[in-house]
Amino acid sequence: MNDESVPQRERDAVLRDLFTGTSDPGVLAAMALQLSDENQSRIARSIANNSVPVSAEERVSRNLAAFDALPGYLKPLVALNDTVRLMADGATLGYSDKFAARMNSLISGSNYEEELAAERARTQDALDRAGPAGTAAEALGAYLSGRGLGEAGITLSGRFGTATMEGLSGLLARTGLMGAEGAAYGGVEAAGRDESIVSGVASGALWGAGNQFLKEGSIVVHDQLPGWLGGRSKSLRRKWEKEYNLDWPRDPDTGWYMDLHHKQPKSLGGTDDVWNYGPLSKADHFKHHKEQGHFKMWGSWSRGKRGLKP
């Protein structure tokens, strides 16, 4: 099975014949475990010697064949173990393998680099077996870890007075801070996985800044979309017309329907009760809000709050 002169396709065919040639669960389990250990050993030696790694096709083929050969009662246990390993990998930004390798090295006296290569091979095997679910497990681990740090106050979000900054300057300030935080996480993860720190910092910064920008943008769209589409105003106009048995007047200056004006702004506790709003020309509406300082209040959306238009 390890004769490199034999094409991989032929070795896979022999492997399938070996598995289908027996129906004894114990033999199948032993073969699967031996194949898994052999696969991890080969990957570990390849990584430790900085040689060309085992091909992805061969690695995945062997991992799936070994898993399929396991007795049914063992498969859920292996799947659970894979999920826990991958969540830990995501939560620790790749340092769980280093920690396990260091502990194994200290306890057994074995070589740390070989232990690390073996742990990383096991993590890769788990990812191969789990597929997209494995990627989701890693992402969940990273999310829970980041959320925990945020709740503990270990975050740049809202720091240095940016939480109260309004408008575009506030958006850019918060986006920049989260970009810096993302860069830090990216650098730490790259170091944990022994990858390019420069690339890790760059991708982390892009992720952090982009996520913050999209987050605030989605809040604006969520709050303003009904107004942009006119759906909310239309329903309130119909409600007013039915209550007073009048047509909603048009603005003589623009020819369009008059603005819908709340006497008590919604941002100050006003409601959509028909007695709290009525028609007002665009010019008078603008003048009123300018005099009351409401335009400044609308900037509250940039602080992450769902501000409401008066």
Side-chain angles (χ1 to χ4, degrees), residues 4-289:
E4 301 294 339
S5 64
V6 179
Q8 180 61 42
R9 189 178 298 276
E10 294 182 18
R11 283 185 280 166
D12 287 342
V14 173
L15 181 65
R16 285 192 296 271
D17 291 340
L18 288 174
F19 278 121
T20 56
T22 181
S23 59
D24 187 285
V27 175
L28 286 173
M31 292 173 63
L33 292 175
Q34 181 180 356
L35 180 59
S36 178
D37 289 341
E38 174 193 325
N39 193 35
Q40 290 172 4
S41 177
R42 294 186 65 210
I43 296 174
R45 290 197 302 271
S46 175
I47 296 175
N49 296 329
N50 293 318
S51 58
V52 178
V54 176
S55 70
E57 178 186 3
E58 177 183 358
R59 187 190 69 234
V60 173
S61 175
R62 288 188 166 215
N63 281 331
L64 293 179
F67 182 77
D68 289 340
L70 288 173
Y73 67 89
L74 283 181
K75 289 182 179 181
L77 298 178
V78 173
L80 177 61
N81 180 70
D82 289 346
T83 301
V84 172
R85 172 179 283 274
L86 293 172
M87 286 185 65
D89 182 66
T92 62
L93 303 180
Y95 283 89
S96 59
D97 286 340
K98 286 190 170 183
F99 176 77
R102 180 63 67 188
M103 294 300 296
N104 290 339
S105 177
L106 291 174
I107 294 173
S108 65
S110 57
N111 180 272
Y112 168 73
E113 293 298 331
E114 291 181 357
E115 290 288 350
L116 177 59
E119 287 297 330
R120 285 178 170 167
R122 293 187 183 98
T123 299
Q124 183 60 60
D125 287 349
L127 193 57
D128 288 342
R129 285 189 291 267
T135 303
E138 284 189 320
L140 177 60
Y143 167 76
L144 293 176
S145 177
R147 180 176 179 180
L149 290 174
E151 291 179 350
I154 307 175
T155 178
L156 293 178
S157 179
R159 300 291 185 181
F160 310 112
T162 57
T164 58
M165 294 177 64
E166 301 178 358
L168 181 60
S169 60
L171 172 61
L172 294 178
R174 285 184 296 278
T175 298
L177 274 183
M178 297 313 295
E181 182 172 301
Y185 277 117
V188 171
E189 181 172 12
R193 302 186 187 282
D194 293 330
E195 299 173 348
S196 169
I197 293 181
V198 174
S199 298
V201 168
S203 60
L206 182 61
W207 172 261
N211 185 58
Q212 180 67 22
F213 189 85
L214 291 175
K215 175 185 175 182
E216 295 205 17
S218 66
I219 293 173
V220 177
V221 171
H222 180 275
D223 291 338
Q224 301 299 326
L225 187 59
W228 294 340
L229 298 179
R232 176 169 164 266
S233 295
K234 286 181 179 178
S235 64
L236 292 180
R237 287 204 306 264
R238 286 195 295 268
K239 182 179 177 182
W240 184 91
E241 288 176 336
K242 183 177 180 180
E243 177 69 21
Y244 296 106
N245 196 28
L246 294 171
D247 292 332
W248 190 270
R250 290 184 176 270
D251 191 328
D253 295 329
T254 65
W256 296 92
Y257 285 115
M258 283 190 173
D259 287 358
L260 190 149
H261 167 64
H262 284 83
K263 301 170 186 177
Q264 175 73 5
K266 294 199 68 178
S267 56
L268 296 177
T271 67
D272 282 334
D273 293 318
V274 71
W275 51 262
N276 190 48
Y277 66 86
L280 196 64
S281 70
K282 184 171 291 294
D284 290 338
H285 199 192
F286 181 87
K287 180 181 178 181
H288 169 80
H289 287 308

